[in-house]
Amino acid sequence: MLVNDIIERLLQGNRRFSLGEALRSDISIARRYQLSVSQQPFAMILGCSDSRVPPEIVFDCGLGDLFVIRTAGHTIDKVVMESILFGIKSLYIPLIVVLGHARCGAVSLVIQKRQQLGNADDASCITEQIALAIEQHGNIPQYKNEDDLLNSIVKTHVKMTLARIENLIMPISKDVNVLGAYYDLNTGIVEVISRPTRACT
């Protein structure tokens, strides 16, 4: 399946979900039995652990369709990196999607920490990676409300996570595409915020 077709399949599934018309057709006993032998997911999703954003449901996918990695604020550590490499090298997954979402609790917490404690050191990779996204905003412009600021930082964090993944897989594969996306909790719609780019050109 071509990468553009994979993206369209994901977005069509999301449209069905956002309209309350999800099919969820590929979770049958027969499908479960078929997958007991092997798997061939068509996309990898690195998303947030937030209970409101389960990728299989958001993209209306069934068993065996997605290789999903979830951490608080879709941050990356050694285990996540090794999981990504496994998906690429062992399952030959051609597309990685980093999925951020509105009002992310992990991002909100780091913003609050920095407001209360300034730039105090924090050894956690969650705080460290999200703090870099906050710093990318520099002199933060006036936003209509705190949600607008928070969601803007989430999108920046998605793009920075993409860059980390690109650096990770650049020496490994020329055939993997990466894409950034953002999920709106109110509408249920996934917005593509960074079109697919090859990790290695």
Side-chain angles (χ1 to χ4, degrees), residues 4-187:
N4 285 339
D5 294 335
I6 294 173
I7 295 170
E8 185 58 28
R9 179 173 175 179
L10 289 171
L11 294 179
Q12 284 181 359
N14 175 247
R15 280 193 287 271
R16 292 193 300 270
F17 166 76
S18 68
L19 294 170
E21 299 172 354
L23 299 176
R24 300 292 291 164
S25 58
D26 217 3
I27 56 173
S28 64
I29 294 174
R31 175 64 171 163
R32 191 173 70 223
Y33 180 77
Q34 179 188 26
L35 289 167
S36 69
V37 179
S38 65
Q39 62 169 320
Q40 193 173 7
F42 62 82
M44 182 187 305
I45 312 292
L46 171 59
C48 183
S49 299
D50 194 299
S51 63
R52 300 166 293 180
V53 197
E56 294 92 342
I57 294 175
V58 166
F59 290 111
D60 191 23
C61 289
L63 290 172
D65 288 340
L66 302 178
F67 185 83
V68 177
I69 305 168
R70 300 179 70 182
T71 62
H74 60 264
T75 46
I76 297 179
D77 61 10
K78 188 175 185 291
V79 173
V80 172
M81 288 180 179
E82 292 179 358
S83 298
I84 291 171
L85 293 177
F86 171 78
I88 294 169
K89 294 194 287 187
S90 298
L91 301 176
Y92 309 105
I93 299 171
L95 177 69
I96 302 172
V97 178
V98 177
L99 181 62
H101 67 91
R103 298 191 292 281
C104 178
V107 176
S108 178
L109 180 62
V110 176
I111 292 173
Q112 291 173 21
K113 276 186 177 180
R114 288 174 68 83
Q115 288 173 339
Q116 295 168 359
L117 305 173
N119 293 325
D121 290 337
D122 189 322
S124 78
C125 68
I126 294 175
T127 298
E128 183 179 84
Q129 291 176 27
I130 294 173
L132 288 173
I134 296 170
E135 290 169 8
Q136 281 289 311
H137 282 71
N139 295 320
I140 296 173
Q142 294 297 315
Y143 287 82
K144 291 181 181 179
N145 53 56
E146 289 185 4
D147 272 356
D148 288 344
L149 170 59
L150 170 58
N151 296 336
S152 178
I153 293 173
V154 168
K155 291 179 180 180
T156 298
H157 179 41
V158 167
K159 294 174 182 176
M160 295 180 74
T161 303
L162 281 178
R164 292 185 185 97
I165 292 173
E166 288 174 339
N167 290 334
L168 170 69
I169 63 180
M170 191 176 294
I172 305 299
S173 176
K174 298 180 180 180
D175 300 319
V176 181
N177 288 257
V178 292
L179 177 147
Y182 172 85
Y183 175 73
D184 188 305
L185 292 174
N186 293 330
T187 65

